[in-house]
Amino acid sequence: QTQSTWGHMNQVMEGKRKRSEEDEEDEKCVRVKTDHSDPSAVNPTDNATDGMVSTVPSALKPARLAGRKKMIAMLIGYEGTQYQGMQRNPGANTIEEVLVGALVQAQCVAESNAVDLNKVSWNRAARTDKGVHAAGNVVSFKCNIDVPDLVASVNSFLPPSVRVFDWKRTTRHFNARTMCHRRRYEYLMPTFMLAPSSLPADAKFIFDKSCVDRLNSILSRYVGTHRFHNFTAKIAPNDPAAKRYMLSFQCSDPFVWQDIEFVRLTVLGQSFMLHQIRKMVGLATEIMKGDAPEDAIEHCFQSDDRADIPLAPGEGLLLDRLLFDGYNKRVTSNLEPLAFDHVTEQVEQFKKEQIYSTIIKQEREKQCFTNWLETIKKWPYSAVRRPDNERNPNLVEEEASGKAEEE
């Protein structure tokens, strides 16, 4: 009886071992030669080579892509003017909707998984808002890494306004959002926005070194850990989420691009809330122009009262770079650190040709920065928030519909 029992147990263990091997083969989407005389036994796929078909019975599962499915981090850039933000939203034209469509066409992601991106463990490092650009956002997901020339293949199905620059294998449970250590944004603005309001209309404004130094002094007040409840919507002053850590905020020297003089404001922080950077730029601009008190930034940090802070135009904001320092310190030797310095030239070219050119085109055609200056004359900074019927209606609408999520 004991021998019979052990025999039965061995049969059970052997059955489990075989099923485990079969599951592993299915997970790797291994292709095997088979007899085509019974077409109902298997479900051929478009990628199958001669005599090679899927091992997954069609009656049980949908057709799966040939190739190994591994977790990756993909570096992407986009000019966000025509899109309603990064994150997928039913019925909206978003970056993710366009990108996922290209990944399906390139056979990086199965069409059945594209309906529910949780199936491929999809995550984005930064959720940029409507109209915001990115030169270096990162998405993580389980991808078919055996697609030939993967980057070129995906890009062939993307519009020029969205590009894939590179991808890297990651650890199995990598999450682009939670493992992103720091985020760096740029705000590109014409120097005429910073001219003192007291300057006569016919006077020429020169943004010289003293202006750079003064603006850098104003921006430095944002550095450190502060309560940014006044720089976003729907976050209470005592909410722990209001506290954010800014590592640096600096203004570049002025430069001329297509006959317009610009400065580049670069902010590096751990994370950002909706509208936070645009309001930081808006208040710094008003202080620079002499339209807000010198201590306005400190007041907005310290006061529990809601302040009215102008929202700088979204056209000038772009996500520049993401840093994964913590992940890179822990990554094993058989995986590359998440650093994309080798594609810097491609990223900078995309930034100039797609993003900067669009920002300038919008200013020439729509005068978004010029019109904003007129807006803040009507609705300037106020240490105490006005009633909604006395505030900028566009800002009220954005705050009501927006979510206090990270950008």
Side-chain angles (χ1 to χ4, degrees), residues 251-266:
C251 169
S252 72
D253 290 331
F255 62 95
V256 177
W257 185 260
Q258 296 185 18
D259 300 325
I260 300 178
E261 186 179 66
F262 287 90
V263 288
R264 184 187 299 110
L265 310 185
T266 305

mmCIF file with all atom_site columns, all heavy atoms in Angstrom, residues 251-266:
data_model
loop_
_atom_site.group_PDB
_atom_site.id
_atom_site.type_symbol
_atom_site.label_atom_id
_atom_site.label_alt_id
_atom_site.label_comp_id
_atom_site.label_asym_id
_atom_site.label_entity_id
_atom_site.label_seq_id
_atom_site.pdbx_PDB_ins_code
_atom_site.Cartn_x
_atom_site.Cartn_y
_atom_site.Cartn_z
_atom_site.occupancy
_atom_site.B_iso_or_equiv
_atom_site.pdbx_formal_charge
_atom_site.auth_seq_id
_atom_site.auth_comp_id
_atom_site.auth_asym_id
_atom_site.auth_atom_id
_atom_site.pdbx_PDB_model_num
ATOM 1   N N   . CYS A 1 251 ? 17.444 79.849 -13.999 1.00 0.00 ? 251 CYS A N   1
ATOM 2   C CA  . CYS A 1 251 ? 17.200 80.518 -15.276 1.00 0.00 ? 251 CYS A CA  1
ATOM 3   C C   . CYS A 1 251 ? 18.480 80.501 -16.101 1.00 0.00 ? 251 CYS A C   1
ATOM 4   O O   . CYS A 1 251 ? 19.573 80.749 -15.580 1.00 0.00 ? 251 CYS A O   1
ATOM 5   C CB  . CYS A 1 251 ? 16.756 81.954 -15.014 1.00 0.00 ? 251 CYS A CB  1
ATOM 6   S SG  . CYS A 1 251 ? 16.728 83.012 -16.478 1.00 0.00 ? 251 CYS A SG  1
ATOM 7   N N   . SER A 1 252 ? 18.362 80.192 -17.379 1.00 0.00 ? 252 SER A N   1
ATOM 8   C CA  . SER A 1 252 ? 19.519 80.185 -18.275 1.00 0.00 ? 252 SER A CA  1
ATOM 9   C C   . SER A 1 252 ? 19.840 81.599 -18.742 1.00 0.00 ? 252 SER A C   1
ATOM 10  O O   . SER A 1 252 ? 19.064 82.542 -18.520 1.00 0.00 ? 252 SER A O   1
ATOM 11  C CB  . SER A 1 252 ? 19.226 79.315 -19.495 1.00 0.00 ? 252 SER A CB  1
ATOM 12  O OG  . SER A 1 252 ? 18.288 79.973 -20.351 1.00 0.00 ? 252 SER A OG  1
ATOM 13  N N   . ASP A 1 253 ? 20.958 81.754 -19.402 1.00 0.00 ? 253 ASP A N   1
ATOM 14  C CA  . ASP A 1 253 ? 21.240 82.999 -20.099 1.00 0.00 ? 253 ASP A CA  1
ATOM 15  C C   . ASP A 1 253 ? 20.271 83.111 -21.278 1.00 0.00 ? 253 ASP A C   1
ATOM 16  O O   . ASP A 1 253 ? 19.828 82.093 -21.822 1.00 0.00 ? 253 ASP A O   1
ATOM 17  C CB  . ASP A 1 253 ? 22.686 83.018 -20.603 1.00 0.00 ? 253 ASP A CB  1
ATOM 18  C CG  . ASP A 1 253 ? 23.692 83.132 -19.472 1.00 0.00 ? 253 ASP A CG  1
ATOM 19  O OD1 . ASP A 1 253 ? 23.339 83.717 -18.431 1.00 0.00 ? 253 ASP A OD1 1
ATOM 20  O OD2 . ASP A 1 253 ? 24.818 82.614 -19.623 1.00 0.00 ? 253 ASP A OD2 1
ATOM 21  N N   . PRO A 1 254 ? 19.948 84.322 -21.695 1.00 0.00 ? 254 PRO A N   1
ATOM 22  C CA  . PRO A 1 254 ? 19.021 84.469 -22.829 1.00 0.00 ? 254 PRO A CA  1
ATOM 23  C C   . PRO A 1 254 ? 19.636 83.974 -24.132 1.00 0.00 ? 254 PRO A C   1
ATOM 24  O O   . PRO A 1 254 ? 20.858 84.004 -24.314 1.00 0.00 ? 254 PRO A O   1
ATOM 25  C CB  . PRO A 1 254 ? 18.772 85.989 -22.879 1.00 0.00 ? 254 PRO A CB  1
ATOM 26  C CG  . PRO A 1 254 ? 19.952 86.595 -22.200 1.00 0.00 ? 254 PRO A CG  1
ATOM 27  C CD  . PRO A 1 254 ? 20.386 85.615 -21.149 1.00 0.00 ? 254 PRO A CD  1
ATOM 28  N N   . PHE A 1 255 ? 18.792 83.476 -25.020 1.00 0.00 ? 255 PHE A N   1
ATOM 29  C CA  . PHE A 1 255 ? 19.251 83.047 -26.345 1.00 0.00 ? 255 PHE A CA  1
ATOM 30  C C   . PHE A 1 255 ? 18.158 83.387 -27.356 1.00 0.00 ? 255 PHE A C   1
ATOM 31  O O   . PHE A 1 255 ? 16.976 83.511 -27.010 1.00 0.00 ? 255 PHE A O   1
ATOM 32  C CB  . PHE A 1 255 ? 19.550 81.545 -26.359 1.00 0.00 ? 255 PHE A CB  1
ATOM 33  C CG  . PHE A 1 255 ? 18.366 80.661 -26.071 1.00 0.00 ? 255 PHE A CG  1
ATOM 34  C CD1 . PHE A 1 255 ? 17.596 80.117 -27.096 1.00 0.00 ? 255 PHE A CD1 1
ATOM 35  C CD2 . PHE A 1 255 ? 18.004 80.368 -24.759 1.00 0.00 ? 255 PHE A CD2 1
ATOM 36  C CE1 . PHE A 1 255 ? 16.503 79.301 -26.825 1.00 0.00 ? 255 PHE A CE1 1
ATOM 37  C CE2 . PHE A 1 255 ? 16.917 79.560 -24.477 1.00 0.00 ? 255 PHE A CE2 1
ATOM 38  C CZ  . PHE A 1 255 ? 16.167 79.036 -25.516 1.00 0.00 ? 255 PHE A CZ  1
ATOM 39  N N   . VAL A 1 256 ? 18.562 83.554 -28.602 1.00 0.00 ? 256 VAL A N   1
ATOM 40  C CA  . VAL A 1 256 ? 17.625 83.930 -29.654 1.00 0.00 ? 256 VAL A CA  1
ATOM 41  C C   . VAL A 1 256 ? 17.297 82.703 -30.490 1.00 0.00 ? 256 VAL A C   1
ATOM 42  O O   . VAL A 1 256 ? 18.203 81.981 -30.935 1.00 0.00 ? 256 VAL A O   1
ATOM 43  C CB  . VAL A 1 256 ? 18.205 85.051 -30.546 1.00 0.00 ? 256 VAL A CB  1
ATOM 44  C CG1 . VAL A 1 256 ? 17.242 85.377 -31.697 1.00 0.00 ? 256 VAL A CG1 1
ATOM 45  C CG2 . VAL A 1 256 ? 18.482 86.296 -29.722 1.00 0.00 ? 256 VAL A CG2 1
ATOM 46  N N   . TRP A 1 257 ? 16.013 82.465 -30.703 1.00 0.00 ? 257 TRP A N   1
ATOM 47  C CA  . TRP A 1 257 ? 15.551 81.347 -31.521 1.00 0.00 ? 257 TRP A CA  1
ATOM 48  C C   . TRP A 1 257 ? 14.477 81.886 -32.459 1.00 0.00 ? 257 TRP A C   1
ATOM 49  O O   . TRP A 1 257 ? 13.441 82.364 -32.010 1.00 0.00 ? 257 TRP A O   1
ATOM 50  C CB  . TRP A 1 257 ? 15.004 80.226 -30.634 1.00 0.00 ? 257 TRP A CB  1
ATOM 51  C CG  . TRP A 1 257 ? 14.603 78.989 -31.360 1.00 0.00 ? 257 TRP A CG  1
ATOM 52  C CD1 . TRP A 1 257 ? 13.349 78.601 -31.728 1.00 0.00 ? 257 TRP A CD1 1
ATOM 53  C CD2 . TRP A 1 257 ? 15.469 77.962 -31.848 1.00 0.00 ? 257 TRP A CD2 1
ATOM 54  N NE1 . TRP A 1 257 ? 13.368 77.407 -32.389 1.00 0.00 ? 257 TRP A NE1 1
ATOM 55  C CE2 . TRP A 1 257 ? 14.664 76.985 -32.487 1.00 0.00 ? 257 TRP A CE2 1
ATOM 56  C CE3 . TRP A 1 257 ? 16.849 77.764 -31.801 1.00 0.00 ? 257 TRP A CE3 1
ATOM 57  C CZ2 . TRP A 1 257 ? 15.193 75.835 -33.074 1.00 0.00 ? 257 TRP A CZ2 1
ATOM 58  C CZ3 . TRP A 1 257 ? 17.372 76.625 -32.387 1.00 0.00 ? 257 TRP A CZ3 1
ATOM 59  C CH2 . TRP A 1 257 ? 16.555 75.672 -33.006 1.00 0.00 ? 257 TRP A CH2 1
ATOM 60  N N   . GLN A 1 258 ? 14.763 81.832 -33.755 1.00 0.00 ? 258 GLN A N   1
ATOM 61  C CA  . GLN A 1 258 ? 13.854 82.353 -34.786 1.00 0.00 ? 258 GLN A CA  1
ATOM 62  C C   . GLN A 1 258 ? 13.420 83.798 -34.477 1.00 0.00 ? 258 GLN A C   1
ATOM 63  O O   . GLN A 1 258 ? 12.238 84.140 -34.463 1.00 0.00 ? 258 GLN A O   1
ATOM 64  C CB  . GLN A 1 258 ? 12.632 81.439 -34.941 1.00 0.00 ? 258 GLN A CB  1
ATOM 65  C CG  . GLN A 1 258 ? 12.979 80.040 -35.451 1.00 0.00 ? 258 GLN A CG  1
ATOM 66  C CD  . GLN A 1 258 ? 11.754 79.184 -35.714 1.00 0.00 ? 258 GLN A CD  1
ATOM 67  O OE1 . GLN A 1 258 ? 10.640 79.697 -35.835 1.00 0.00 ? 258 GLN A OE1 1
ATOM 68  N NE2 . GLN A 1 258 ? 11.950 77.872 -35.824 1.00 0.00 ? 258 GLN A NE2 1
ATOM 69  N N   . ASP A 1 259 ? 14.426 84.634 -34.187 1.00 0.00 ? 259 ASP A N   1
ATOM 70  C CA  . ASP A 1 259 ? 14.249 86.081 -34.000 1.00 0.00 ? 259 ASP A CA  1
ATOM 71  C C   . ASP A 1 259 ? 13.513 86.468 -32.718 1.00 0.00 ? 259 ASP A C   1
ATOM 72  O O   . ASP A 1 259 ? 13.132 87.623 -32.558 1.00 0.00 ? 259 ASP A O   1
ATOM 73  C CB  . ASP A 1 259 ? 13.511 86.705 -35.201 1.00 0.00 ? 259 ASP A CB  1
ATOM 74  C CG  . ASP A 1 259 ? 14.267 86.512 -36.508 1.00 0.00 ? 259 ASP A CG  1
ATOM 75  O OD1 . ASP A 1 259 ? 15.508 86.540 -36.469 1.00 0.00 ? 259 ASP A OD1 1
ATOM 76  O OD2 . ASP A 1 259 ? 13.615 86.322 -37.549 1.00 0.00 ? 259 ASP A OD2 1
ATOM 77  N N   . ILE A 1 260 ? 13.296 85.519 -31.820 1.00 0.00 ? 260 ILE A N   1
ATOM 78  C CA  . ILE A 1 260 ? 12.674 85.845 -30.532 1.00 0.00 ? 260 ILE A CA  1
ATOM 79  C C   . ILE A 1 260 ? 13.648 85.463 -29.419 1.00 0.00 ? 260 ILE A C   1
ATOM 80  O O   . ILE A 1 260 ? 14.223 84.375 -29.424 1.00 0.00 ? 260 ILE A O   1
ATOM 81  C CB  . ILE A 1 260 ? 11.339 85.092 -30.336 1.00 0.00 ? 260 ILE A CB  1
ATOM 82  C CG1 . ILE A 1 260 ? 10.339 85.464 -31.435 1.00 0.00 ? 260 ILE A CG1 1
ATOM 83  C CG2 . ILE A 1 260 ? 10.740 85.396 -28.965 1.00 0.00 ? 260 ILE A CG2 1
ATOM 84  C CD1 . ILE A 1 260 ? 9.018  84.747 -31.345 1.00 0.00 ? 260 ILE A CD1 1
ATOM 85  N N   . GLU A 1 261 ? 13.844 86.369 -28.463 1.00 0.00 ? 261 GLU A N   1
ATOM 86  C CA  . GLU A 1 261 ? 14.748 86.085 -27.346 1.00 0.00 ? 261 GLU A CA  1
ATOM 87  C C   . GLU A 1 261 ? 14.003 85.320 -26.251 1.00 0.00 ? 261 GLU A C   1
ATOM 88  O O   . GLU A 1 261 ? 12.918 85.719 -25.826 1.00 0.00 ? 261 GLU A O   1
ATOM 89  C CB  . GLU A 1 261 ? 15.322 87.380 -26.772 1.00 0.00 ? 261 GLU A CB  1
ATOM 90  C CG  . GLU A 1 261 ? 16.374 87.124 -25.704 1.00 0.00 ? 261 GLU A CG  1
ATOM 91  C CD  . GLU A 1 261 ? 16.976 88.399 -25.150 1.00 0.00 ? 261 GLU A CD  1
ATOM 92  O OE1 . GLU A 1 261 ? 16.217 89.164 -24.492 1.00 0.00 ? 261 GLU A OE1 1
ATOM 93  O OE2 . GLU A 1 261 ? 18.177 88.642 -25.359 1.00 0.00 ? 261 GLU A OE2 1
ATOM 94  N N   . PHE A 1 262 ? 14.612 84.228 -25.809 1.00 0.00 ? 262 PHE A N   1
ATOM 95  C CA  . PHE A 1 262 ? 14.017 83.360 -24.797 1.00 0.00 ? 262 PHE A CA  1
ATOM 96  C C   . PHE A 1 262 ? 14.967 83.161 -23.635 1.00 0.00 ? 262 PHE A C   1
ATOM 97  O O   . PHE A 1 262 ? 16.178 83.360 -23.749 1.00 0.00 ? 262 PHE A O   1
ATOM 98  C CB  . PHE A 1 262 ? 13.699 81.973 -25.387 1.00 0.00 ? 262 PHE A CB  1
ATOM 99  C CG  . PHE A 1 262 ? 12.536 81.922 -26.316 1.00 0.00 ? 262 PHE A CG  1
ATOM 100 C CD1 . PHE A 1 262 ? 12.718 82.126 -27.682 1.00 0.00 ? 262 PHE A CD1 1
ATOM 101 C CD2 . PHE A 1 262 ? 11.250 81.666 -25.848 1.00 0.00 ? 262 PHE A CD2 1
ATOM 102 C CE1 . PHE A 1 262 ? 11.646 82.074 -28.556 1.00 0.00 ? 262 PHE A CE1 1
ATOM 103 C CE2 . PHE A 1 262 ? 10.179 81.605 -26.710 1.00 0.00 ? 262 PHE A CE2 1
ATOM 104 C CZ  . PHE A 1 262 ? 10.374 81.807 -28.067 1.00 0.00 ? 262 PHE A CZ  1
ATOM 105 N N   . VAL A 1 263 ? 14.408 82.707 -22.514 1.00 0.00 ? 263 VAL A N   1
ATOM 106 C CA  . VAL A 1 263 ? 15.185 82.107 -21.430 1.00 0.00 ? 263 VAL A CA  1
ATOM 107 C C   . VAL A 1 263 ? 14.564 80.760 -21.115 1.00 0.00 ? 263 VAL A C   1
ATOM 108 O O   . VAL A 1 263 ? 13.377 80.534 -21.354 1.00 0.00 ? 263 VAL A O   1
ATOM 109 C CB  . VAL A 1 263 ? 15.225 82.981 -20.155 1.00 0.00 ? 263 VAL A CB  1
ATOM 110 C CG1 . VAL A 1 263 ? 16.100 84.201 -20.366 1.00 0.00 ? 263 VAL A CG1 1
ATOM 111 C CG2 . VAL A 1 263 ? 13.830 83.357 -19.700 1.00 0.00 ? 263 VAL A CG2 1
ATOM 112 N N   . ARG A 1 264 ? 15.378 79.893 -20.585 1.00 0.00 ? 264 ARG A N   1
ATOM 113 C CA  . ARG A 1 264 ? 14.923 78.554 -20.225 1.00 0.00 ? 264 ARG A CA  1
ATOM 114 C C   . ARG A 1 264 ? 14.972 78.422 -18.710 1.00 0.00 ? 264 ARG A C   1
ATOM 115 O O   . ARG A 1 264 ? 16.039 78.538 -18.095 1.00 0.00 ? 264 ARG A O   1
ATOM 116 C CB  . ARG A 1 264 ? 15.841 77.512 -20.879 1.00 0.00 ? 264 ARG A CB  1
ATOM 117 C CG  . ARG A 1 264 ? 15.429 76.071 -20.659 1.00 0.00 ? 264 ARG A CG  1
ATOM 118 C CD  . ARG A 1 264 ? 16.478 75.100 -21.197 1.00 0.00 ? 264 ARG A CD  1
ATOM 119 N NE  . ARG A 1 264 ? 16.699 75.247 -22.627 1.00 0.00 ? 264 ARG A NE  1
ATOM 120 C CZ  . ARG A 1 264 ? 17.808 75.736 -23.167 1.00 0.00 ? 264 ARG A CZ  1
ATOM 121 N NH1 . ARG A 1 264 ? 18.795 76.162 -22.388 1.00 0.00 ? 264 ARG A NH1 1
ATOM 122 N NH2 . ARG A 1 264 ? 17.949 75.806 -24.477 1.00 0.00 ? 264 ARG A NH2 1
ATOM 123 N N   . LEU A 1 265 ? 13.820 78.186 -18.083 1.00 0.00 ? 265 LEU A N   1
ATOM 124 C CA  . LEU A 1 265 ? 13.750 77.940 -16.650 1.00 0.00 ? 265 LEU A CA  1
ATOM 125 C C   . LEU A 1 265 ? 13.739 76.435 -16.430 1.00 0.00 ? 265 LEU A C   1
ATOM 126 O O   . LEU A 1 265 ? 12.912 75.726 -17.015 1.00 0.00 ? 265 LEU A O   1
ATOM 127 C CB  . LEU A 1 265 ? 12.488 78.565 -16.042 1.00 0.00 ? 265 LEU A CB  1
ATOM 128 C CG  . LEU A 1 265 ? 12.203 80.040 -16.369 1.00 0.00 ? 265 LEU A CG  1
ATOM 129 C CD1 . LEU A 1 265 ? 10.991 80.520 -15.587 1.00 0.00 ? 265 LEU A CD1 1
ATOM 130 C CD2 . LEU A 1 265 ? 13.404 80.916 -16.100 1.00 0.00 ? 265 LEU A CD2 1
ATOM 131 N N   . THR A 1 266 ? 14.659 75.935 -15.605 1.00 0.00 ? 266 THR A N   1
ATOM 132 C CA  . THR A 1 266 ? 14.791 74.494 -15.390 1.00 0.00 ? 266 THR A CA  1
ATOM 133 C C   . THR A 1 266 ? 14.596 74.178 -13.918 1.00 0.00 ? 266 THR A C   1
ATOM 134 O O   . THR A 1 266 ? 15.330 74.698 -13.062 1.00 0.00 ? 266 THR A O   1
ATOM 135 C CB  . THR A 1 266 ? 16.179 74.002 -15.846 1.00 0.00 ? 266 THR A CB  1
ATOM 136 O OG1 . THR A 1 266 ? 16.396 74.374 -17.208 1.00 0.00 ? 266 THR A OG1 1
ATOM 137 C CG2 . THR A 1 266 ? 16.261 72.490 -15.728 1.00 0.00 ? 266 THR A CG2 1
#
